[in-house]
Amino acid sequence: MTASTTNKTGFDLRNLVRPNVAKLKPYSSARDEYQSISAKMIFLDANENPFATDVNSVPDPQQRNLKAQLAALKDVEENEMLLGNGSDEVLDLIFRAFCEPGKDNVITLPPTYGMYKVLADINNIENREVLLTSKFEPDVQEILKNINGHTKLLFLCSPNNPTGNSFSEESIFELLKNFHGLVIIDEAYIDFSEKESWLKNLQKYPNLVITQTLSKAYGMAGIRLGICYASAEIIEVLNKIKPPYNVNELTQKRASERVDSKEDVISEVADILENRETLSKALSEVNFVKKVYPSDANFILAKVDDATTRYNQLIAKGIVIRNRTTQPLCKNTLRFTVGTQEENEKLIGALKALEKEEI
Ligand SMILES: *Cc1c(COP(=O)(O)O)cnc(C)c1O
């Protein structure tokens, strides 16, 4: 570890890494060692079938082409990036690198993305839940009170799923400064937000980790490509434990093509944002909708008279949304993904028809 891992705020990466991870020697493949001169080499190291099928060779374990594209697009260094089989894999790697089962804990802020808790449970890590405030903002004082010597990770989902809002910058800055574990900001929905990504703060906060994904705005949920941005030191730790070929060849290719046609993504996002405004307005005019929450994402949370009844009625009409009524602070809420204009019109038509039905 270099001196840069320690800073005056008291953050020291060496205190966070699990001892077994700190001392392990990662799996090394010949492709890792000779990738830079690969064009000139004959590879007889990995017992592959030599006849070309396009995918007869193992994929690049470091996904260099895709990382170079993302580095240029996001203005970060390639060694500040780790790619995974969806952000779910990236989040799991973070747990496994830093949290000692049965000993360490993490903090999550319900109502939020369900995978943080599932991953904590899978890894046998205590999940300390600190509810968001009634305005769906992090309760900074309460979070700081819940931190102890074994708190390794704090998950901030911004824009937050399922509430749709981005957290206040002030709260996030305060948490970054006062928590000496890793602050993971999940930016799965950042491309739908007016707020800027936290990527520009990567150099300033050695404890900042940002995750993004091609599953939402980029329209590539099927290929599974998640991205983790963090200091080179943190990325080095995660690289030690990632499965060597965790991002398959087809995914690398499709992701690369999609990142290359960024204009398509931008124009689709613009359409989705327009449809979001239309849907939001239409929802607020439905007589059993009590409240439509503002959204910085590609979904809308709305409070209705009886979420479970309305959910079942929509299912009967062939429309599947998400019932969030059992989530804290979300009683009688439904989450609507913004679809195409046609899908949204069908949804609104169905809701209008329900206005006349008995509940
Ligand atoms: C959808 C979603 C993801 C996406 O995960 P992938 O594994 O990359 O598909 C991550 N975080 C949040 C908050 C999400 O809603």
Side-chain angles (χ1 to χ4, degrees):
M1 299 285 153
T2 59
S4 67
T5 54
T6 311
N7 79 348
K8 56 182 180 301
T9 66
F11 174 79
D12 187 342
L13 191 64
R14 289 167 298 190
N15 297 336
L16 296 181
V17 183
R18 289 171 66 192
N20 63 312
V21 172
K23 65 170 192 264
L24 80 79
K25 194 174 173 312
Y27 178 83
S28 156
S29 74
R31 304 305 149 93
D32 268 319
E33 289 165 40
Y34 302 110
Q35 192 68 36
S36 57
I37 41 173
S38 61
K40 298 184 203 99
M41 314 287 272
I42 295 172
F43 280 103
L44 299 174
D45 60 300
N47 308 340
E48 296 146 340
N49 177 334
F51 297 103
T53 62
D54 266 3
V55 287
N56 58 311
S57 298
V58 291
D60 175 5
Q62 280 301 324
Q63 311 96 17
R64 286 165 177 82
N65 291 337
L66 182 54
K67 275 187 190 162
Q69 283 176 289
L70 288 168
L73 181 68
K74 304 282 180 174
D75 194 22
V76 296
E77 300 296 325
E78 287 169 45
N79 64 1
E80 296 171 326
M81 225 184 277
L82 176 120
L83 306 185
N85 186 24
S87 21
D88 289 347
E89 183 189 41
V90 162
L91 295 168
D92 186 51
L93 289 173
I94 296 170
F95 269 96
R96 291 199 287 125
F98 298 103
C99 298
E100 201 60 39
K103 191 172 146 201
D104 288 332
N105 66 73
V106 302
I107 297 182
T108 62
L109 315 180
T112 193
Y113 185 45
M115 273 310 281
Y116 314 136
K117 178 177 163 45
V118 172
L119 291 170
D121 289 346
I122 291 170
N123 288 291
N124 191 23
I125 305 301
E126 182 194 347
N127 176 30
R128 299 189 165 193
E129 300 190 319
V130 180
L131 289 195
L132 295 175
T133 67
S134 58
K135 290 187 169 138
F136 297 145
E137 287 286 345
D139 187 338
V140 175
Q141 290 322 309
E142 207 47 41
I143 292 168
L144 295 177
K145 260 195 248 167
N146 272 274
I147 290 165
N148 71 4
H150 288 293
T151 308
K152 295 291 187 74
L153 312 173
L154 165 62
F155 289 91
L156 305 176
C157 186
S158 183
N160 187 41
N161 177 4
T163 59
N165 62 305
S166 299
F167 295 155
S168 89
E169 287 192 19
E170 199 188 349
S171 308
I172 297 182
F173 275 125
E174 220 173 312
L175 291 165
L176 278 167
K177 283 178 200 153
N178 291 298
F179 175 50
H180 300 155
L182 300 183
V183 176
I184 295 112
I185 306 183
D186 183 338
E187 292 191 334
Y189 298 99
I190 193 66
D191 295 291
F192 302 107
S193 172
E194 288 186 350
K195 296 250 177 83
E196 256 189 291
S197 165
W198 281 81
L199 274 176
K200 61 180 189 298
N201 291 297
L202 212 51
Q203 310 302 330
K204 211 167 5 164
Y205 296 95
N207 56 340
L208 175 57
V209 176
I210 294 162
T211 61
Q212 294 182 353
T213 176
L214 296 202
S215 292
K216 304 288 157 61
Y218 280 75
M220 303 243 107
I223 69 169
R224 315 305 303 135
L225 198 282
I227 312 160
C228 174
Y229 303 96
S231 70
E233 286 82 5
I234 294 173
I235 295 299
E236 196 182 314
V237 173
L238 296 174
N239 259 322
K240 286 177 81 171
I241 68 164
K242 86 172 183 69
Y245 308 117
N246 63 327
V247 180
N248 73 69
E249 184 70 30
L250 301 175
T251 295
Q252 293 190 38
K253 276 214 181 87
R254 288 297 298 271
S256 205
E257 288 163 15
R258 186 64 165 167
V259 173
D260 246 350
S261 43
K262 183 76 203 301
E263 323 76 57
D264 293 348
V265 178
I266 291 171
S267 99
E268 286 167 27
V269 167
D271 275 357
I272 292 166
L273 294 186
E274 207 178 305
N275 291 341
R276 181 180 77 193
E277 294 327 300
T278 311
L279 178 60
S280 170
K281 187 159 176 295
L283 281 172
S284 66
E285 286 161 2
V286 172
N287 72 6
F288 56 84
V289 171
K290 305 297 173 198
K291 179 166 186 165
V292 180
Y293 293 91
S295 172
D296 237 0
N298 66 333
F299 55 83
I300 296 172
L301 189 74
K303 195 181 272 296
V304 297
D305 53 353
D306 183 333
T308 303
T309 300
R310 299 307 180 185
Y311 174 81
N312 289 327
Q313 287 174 326
L314 283 174
I315 294 281
K317 291 184 182 298
I319 298 176
V320 185
I321 55 162
R322 201 89 160 114
N323 182 1
R324 298 285 77 187
T325 193
T326 58
Q327 298 291 301
L329 309 175
C330 290
K331 193 160 173 15
N332 281 323
T333 62
L334 299 171
R335 192 192 69 194
F336 300 87
T337 303
V338 179
T340 60
Q341 190 178 340
E342 194 190 344
E343 288 170 331
N344 290 340
E345 279 163 8
K346 285 192 177 145
L347 168 64
I348 294 301
L351 291 167
K352 283 288 176 192
L354 291 181
E355 286 185 332
K356 299 174 202 93
E357 278 182 33
E358 292 292 312
I359 93 161

